[in-house]
Amino acid sequence: MRDIILVYARAENGVIGRDGALPWHLPADLKHFKATTLGPDGKGLPMIMGRKTFDSFPAPLPGRRHIVLTRDTTWQATGAEVAHTVADALALAGEGDIAVIGGAEIYALFEPIATRVELTEIAGAYEGDTVMPPLGPHWHESRREAHPAEGARPAYAFVTLVRGL
């Protein structure tokens, strides 16, 4: 069985983005994102994302496939594999684990079929224009790695959640 993994960082007030970027600077979270999306063997998981998330990268991320789910049937970009439905995106991803990396609309589409969440909980409330609501009661924490604030960087925790029965 493959894992469909939602990967995101979320502030206490639900904010996950502002103006197409993260509203905090946390190098440890970027390293965690890279390790998670490269997968345990380092070969890279197919990443499913929306167009705005893809556009937020300066270039496609090395070692990973970029499957972009968009309603725009004419959109295309170098380094992107285009899908127009969840089923199309899953078919493009093929067998094996998949990382779903945003944005909020894409998370909402995949949450009902996701099997795991790799969440970075960011301490504090942030201004933002993209919000991720809390997950429902069918998600259960299986791992937590807490880190204190350092200087201007907020406290955070890497949290793994799995879908309950």
Side-chain angles (χ1 to χ4, degrees):
M1 182 174 150
R2 75 172 168 191
D3 273 331
I4 298 174
I5 309 160
L6 306 182
V7 183
Y8 62 97
R10 181 182 181 275
E12 290 173 2
N13 61 342
V15 167
I16 63 170
R18 180 180 64 219
D19 299 328
L22 297 173
W24 47 77
H25 179 68
L26 198 56
D29 179 49
L30 299 177
K31 288 178 188 172
H32 183 257
F33 174 86
K34 181 178 181 180
T36 301
T37 58
L38 281 174
D41 60 7
K43 293 183 180 177
L45 301 179
M47 299 185 309
I48 298 174
M49 68 202 79
R51 181 194 48 78
K52 290 177 187 175
T53 297
F54 181 84
D55 288 344
S56 73
F57 299 139
L61 303 176
R64 290 151 281 185
R65 292 174 52 211
H66 296 66
I67 299 170
V68 179
L69 185 55
T70 177
R71 290 181 285 264
D72 184 346
T73 57
T74 63
W75 186 86
Q76 55 184 333
T78 302
E81 299 173 55
V82 180
H84 302 294
T85 67
V86 168
D88 289 346
L90 292 171
L92 276 172
E95 299 296 318
D97 294 350
I98 300 167
V100 178
I101 64 165
E105 289 180 46
I106 303 303
Y107 292 130
L109 289 171
F110 281 88
E111 190 275 336
I113 61 172
T115 56
R116 191 169 97 214
V117 175
E118 291 295 337
L119 169 64
T120 303
E121 290 181 344
I122 308 293
Y126 286 80
E127 296 274 329
D129 54 20
T130 308
V131 175
M132 181 76 173
L135 294 168
H138 53 277
W139 290 100
H140 304 283
E141 188 174 312
S142 68
R143 184 182 74 83
R144 173 176 291 268
E145 181 185 316
H147 299 271
E150 290 183 24
R153 294 193 176 120
Y156 62 95
F158 296 133
V159 181
T160 299
L161 299 142
V162 293
R163 184 178 292 281
L165 300 175

